[in-house]
Amino acid sequence: MSESTEVRHVLVIGAGQVAAWPACRALRKAGLRVTLADPNPTTLMVDPDIADAVYAAPVTAAGLAGVIAAERPDGLLVALGGPAALNSALTLRTQGVLRRYGTTLLDVYPLACQEITPDEPCVDVETLSDRYGTVVIVGTVEHVGSMMVAPAQSAAEDIERAAVAAVRAAGFGAGCCSVRFVADDTGYAWRIDGLTPGVGRASALAAAAGGLPLAETLAMLAIGAEAPARSPSVERVLIALDDDTFGLGTTFLAALNNTVGATNPPWPAAPPSWLATALRQLDDLRTRIERAPVLDTDVLHEATLAGLGDDQIAALRPELADGTGVRRIRERLGLFPRPTAPSNTDDHDRTVLLLGPAPGDPAACHHACANGARALRRAGHRVAVLTAATVDADCLVPPRIADVLGVVRAAQRTGSFAGILASLGGPRALAFGAELAAAGVDVIDSPEAEVPPDRCDEPLRGAVAVEIVALSDGDELFLGAACESIDPYDETWPVSGCVLPAPSIGPRTVAELRRRTLDLARRHGMRGALSVRFAVLPDRVVGRSVTSGASTHLATASAATGVELAQAAARLLLGASIEQLRAEGLLPPTDPGPHDQIAVWLPVGVLGLGTSAGAAYAEARAAAGTPLPTGGTVLVSAAERDLRDVVPPIRELAALGFHVLADPITATTLRRNGVECAIERDERADLVIDTRHTAPATACLATQAIAAQRAAEPGTPPLRIVRRCHPTGQPSTSESNNAESMP
């Protein structure tokens, strides 16, 4: 693959923010032009430090072909993007698209990206290879029941040597490869059970446990870098359960006890010796805690080393109601854990601890935290992001109050502690922040008072549902976006997706919603990001809910408008004003107004962009893996209340040449309105419209999308994310959509 030595421009495909941002940064640092294509709005950081150009393109052969035609990259990086990215890239190679545009598939060797579920205890040895024949060990992962443990507790050096030899003999080329070993009948000897090239969950876990920046490393290997020397041994154990719960500690026992929300997983009938030993140690420790006359320094120190949380300790002591009592004893004895703590340096101001999302929280919370931390570092702060198991390089602690208090006390001793931010991490981070505030910690953005909805005695079904995404400094408001729900409003907020800017309301209504949002922010002293949901009726506006901090549509609004709203929100929380951020270039001089780019977000976590709502919906459906047909048969079934509303879109589909089938009642209504249709008789349908499950508005959007697809010129390039401002205050080089990159 000698062509890669001449790569100057790399297209990174659909990798998700955890992998995409580090990989893009590494490539840009190496002096390459970087384009990122991913329909997930939480990945699409507008920040120009991440990528030179960003596309919310579907990860399909057709979607990526458009990006390649527009950008003409020299190389494609696909291994981080999973099976969809790999399969699409291989299709493009087979079709000759890559050859036509002179694009090299940099990491074609990982041909298997699926995870293998082990049926028996086994050990994976994770390796990295470069294109010069060097193979290094990333780490080992042991599978026990529903649990993965890194490093493997049963592994020996001989299986690592065997893994290196096997990978070198297979000659997969640059990238990751997992070598699976299973024990023989004696339980002492291991044999190779298979090789799986590509990035999987085990390789990511082994890299995290060993402190290896996997995404950056793979990106550099793809463009010809040499494999790094094996990282020095790190004395920590990382556990992952099937529900994406993680635990971290200096021993297996500590890691298990640090696993957030963990209950005892289903252990195998014959657990390995190391697991049986750890469980006996845990039983012995619990007995000592229960029988100790008092919770003194020795008992608490031993419990802390074993990873027991204060609530777990309190559950073993009848005289203590909860973990608060244990924390009082810790405070008196000065026994708060002291993990790696932030230190003050000459080129940083004060330290901010940012509470990150918990497992299972929306990706929007990860997006908000990552962007917020980036903005605060730019402003001169040192930032530690405390999250479930892995934290950025500043701190390595699980999110429990005793551990966080240890970090806080260490920062306070240096005089560098600025406070804790909780609202960017989502609802569980906010709840955790409230507990910390009760413990006397300075939480900068403590939860706001609840805002009751407006009273409304009439049914709200059929109202236009709009969510305003905005920023506030307590006095001034920046309106990021007005997002209109695709479904009509009912008492449970719709989850069908949204269009922005809202197509059904005019400037006067937007101005009214802005005024109402500003009034709420001033009345309740809100700073940072806030989302306000309204039901827009013909004669008035009804406020339904207010959310501060990270929200589902914060990342969507950023990608759609080209403004880094989460970065600005973090700065506002620490005292900056909207006027100041406008002067710095982090916010544009005015609110984003009507523009040529429409965005559609779907709840599976994808974004589509287009010059119309229909075109954007077509892109979003393609990105979601449910592309709309451009012809064939449409099957229609409408709820009685929707019969009149479903006629116009079905009439248009019939005009586009679709054969219409319907249930008897719907068919009668359609025929009365001049739409030819047949009664459904178990025929196959290319498109199903059922307003018992989706709203007529969805049918209208689908019809517009199909019309837009049929009218589009072949080879039309996708829309690029437009950057409305630059965080450093300099004009962006990517203001135009695609003109600068068109051949």
Side-chain angles (χ1 to χ4, degrees):
M1 305 210 31
S2 58
E3 303 98 320
S4 64
T5 60
E6 301 177 4
V7 168
R8 296 290 180 269
H9 179 187
V10 176
L11 171 59
V12 179
I13 302 175
Q17 62 171 270
V18 174
W21 296 351
C24 289
R25 281 198 300 265
L27 294 170
R28 292 205 76 212
K29 189 176 180 180
L32 279 67
R33 176 177 172 83
V34 176
T35 297
L36 173 63
D38 194 328
N40 185 339
T42 63
T43 299
L44 301 177
M45 183 184 272
V46 185
D47 194 324
D49 285 354
I50 297 298
D52 297 278
V54 180
Y55 289 83
V59 182
T60 61
L64 297 178
V67 178
I68 292 171
E71 291 289 333
R72 304 294 179 92
D74 304 309
L76 230 58
L77 183 65
V78 301
L80 297 172
L86 179 60
N87 293 335
S88 298
L90 292 176
T91 299
L92 292 175
R93 186 177 66 175
T94 302
Q95 293 174 345
V97 174
L98 301 186
R99 183 174 61 255
R100 185 185 316 148
Y101 293 105
T103 303
T104 299
L105 187 52
L106 298 176
D107 44 3
V108 68
Y109 295 102
L111 297 179
C113 299
Q114 71 275 14
E115 283 294 308
I116 301 174
T117 302
D119 296 323
E120 55 186 324
C122 59
V123 171
D124 291 334
V125 178
E126 304 301 325
T127 68
L128 277 180
S129 307
D130 60 25
R131 61 185 72 257
Y132 313 110
T134 302
V135 181
V136 298
I137 300 293
V138 175
T140 57
V141 177
E142 187 160 359
H143 299 261
V144 182
S146 64
M147 183 171 60
M148 300 168 67
V149 184
Q153 305 296 294
S154 301
E157 289 186 5
D158 59 336
I159 71 170
E160 295 189 359
R161 288 193 293 269
V164 169
V167 172
R168 187 173 286 130
F172 286 118
C176 265
C177 184
S178 178
V179 185
R180 174 151 294 177
F181 290 82
V182 296
D184 65 8
D185 294 338
T186 67
Y188 294 100
W190 297 86
R191 60 176 174 80
I192 293 179
D193 192 48
L195 280 70
T196 305
V199 181
R201 192 165 182 246
S203 50
L205 190 68
L212 175 74
L214 185 60
E216 297 99 312
T217 303
L218 288 173
M220 298 310 295
L221 290 175
I223 61 171
E226 296 181 359
R230 184 172 184 176
S231 56
S233 176
V234 180
E235 293 184 358
R236 64 188 183 202
V237 177
L238 186 57
I239 291 175
L241 301 181
D242 285 347
D243 62 353
D244 284 335
T245 297
F246 296 92
L248 183 69
T250 55
T251 64
F252 168 77
L253 183 60
L256 181 62
N257 284 321
N258 280 332
T259 303
V260 181
T263 56
N264 286 335
W267 305 117
S273 59
W274 59 267
L275 177 54
T277 299
L279 295 176
R280 284 196 301 271
Q281 291 173 342
L282 180 57
D283 288 340
D284 291 345
L285 176 58
R286 287 172 172 165
T287 299
R288 286 197 294 278
I289 293 173
E290 287 176 327
R291 296 178 179 178
V294 293
L295 288 181
D296 57 15
T297 300
D298 292 339
V299 175
L300 281 177
H301 182 66
E302 187 177 2
T304 300
L305 288 178
L308 285 177
D310 289 346
D311 289 335
Q312 292 170 295
I313 297 172
L316 300 171
R317 303 290 300 198
E319 73 275 17
L320 298 173
D322 54 34
T324 303
V326 179
R327 286 192 290 278
R328 291 196 188 101
I329 297 173
R330 285 188 185 278
E331 194 79 59
R332 188 173 69 249
L333 298 175
L335 282 180
F336 282 110
R338 297 180 63 181
T340 303
S343 59
N344 203 20
T345 59
D346 292 338
D347 59 347
H348 287 85
D349 194 353
R350 306 184 69 196
T351 296
V352 178
L353 303 184
L354 201 159
L355 298 182
D361 280 342
C365 300
H366 295 269
H367 169 92
C369 286
N371 274 283
R374 192 168 182 80
L376 295 178
R377 289 188 180 110
R378 270 207 187 103
H381 292 279
R382 183 171 179 82
V383 182
V385 183
L386 311 181
T387 180
T390 56
V391 192
D392 69 2
D394 296 323
C395 274
L396 206 50
V397 294
R400 296 195 301 204
I401 288 182
D403 304 289
V404 176
L405 288 176
V407 178
V408 170
R409 301 295 184 255
Q412 287 173 333
R413 281 192 292 273
T414 67
S416 66
F417 181 60
I420 285 179
L421 288 182
S423 65
L424 297 180
R428 281 187 275 189
L430 273 171
F432 191 46
E435 292 184 62
L436 289 168
V441 178
D442 182 12
V443 179
I444 299 168
D445 54 347
S446 55
E448 312 289 346
E450 288 192 13
V451 180
D454 292 343
R455 179 171 178 173
C456 184
D457 297 325
E458 61 187 289
L460 291 176
R461 181 171 179 81
V464 177
V466 178
E467 180 171 322
I468 295 294
V469 179
L471 303 173
S472 170
D473 60 10
D475 181 61
E476 189 179 355
L477 191 83
F478 178 86
L479 194 154
C483 312
E484 180 179 332
S485 171
I486 293 174
D487 270 355
Y489 191 90
D490 61 21
E491 288 306 313
T492 59
W493 190 260
V495 292
S496 62
C498 70
V499 183
L500 60 154
S504 301
I505 59 175
R508 291 178 59 183
T509 303
V510 172
E512 169 66 9
L513 299 181
R514 188 187 195 283
R515 184 194 65 76
R516 291 278 302 271
T517 303
L518 176 58
D519 181 61
L520 283 168
R522 285 174 173 171
R523 194 184 332 144
H524 296 282
M526 292 180 172
R527 295 187 69 92
L530 63 151
S531 299
V532 186
R533 290 171 172 172
F534 295 98
V536 180
L537 300 168
D539 58 342
R540 63 193 178 108
V541 169
V542 179
R544 302 305 299 157
S545 67
V546 181
T547 304
S548 61
S551 67
T552 300
H553 293 324
L554 187 66
T556 302
S558 292
T561 63
V563 180
E564 286 291 4
L565 297 172
Q567 290 196 20
R571 293 288 309 281
L572 293 171
L573 290 170
L574 260 68
S577 67
I578 287 177
E579 181 181 4
Q580 176 186 346
L581 298 185
R582 281 179 167 145
E584 293 179 12
L586 186 54
L587 291 178
T590 60
D591 295 348
H595 47 82
D596 296 333
Q597 191 162 280
I598 308 297
V600 170
W601 174 84
L602 297 181
V604 291
V606 296
L607 184 71
L609 297 179
T611 54
S612 67
Y617 186 63
E619 288 286 289
R621 287 288 299 263
T626 56
L628 291 165
T630 55
T633 299
V634 56
L635 172 62
V636 189
S637 182
E640 185 175 352
R641 63 174 180 267
D642 299 322
L643 285 171
R644 181 180 300 175
D645 294 331
V646 85
V647 170
I650 302 306
R651 180 186 289 122
E652 186 171 348
L653 287 174
L656 291 172
F658 276 82
H659 175 54
V660 181
L661 300 175
D663 64 82
I665 295 177
T666 305
T668 299
T669 301
L670 291 173
R671 288 167 178 165
R672 284 175 181 169
N673 287 274
V675 179
E676 291 187 12
C677 65
I679 302 298
E680 174 196 358
R681 300 188 187 279
D682 298 324
E683 291 98 332
R684 176 185 169 276
D686 301 284
L687 176 65
V688 176
I689 293 177
D690 186 348
T691 69
R692 293 169 300 181
H693 301 98
T694 59
T698 306
C700 292
L701 257 186
T703 301
Q704 295 167 21
I706 291 168
Q709 289 179 119
R710 292 177 54 145
E713 292 289 334
T716 302
L719 293 180
R720 179 191 294 178
I721 299 291
V722 179
R723 290 169 176 145
R724 303 288 177 184
C725 53
H726 193 291
T728 62
Q730 301 299 318
S732 171
T733 59
S734 304
E735 285 293 331
S736 65
N737 230 326
N738 292 304
E740 68 187 62
S741 57
M742 289 292 289

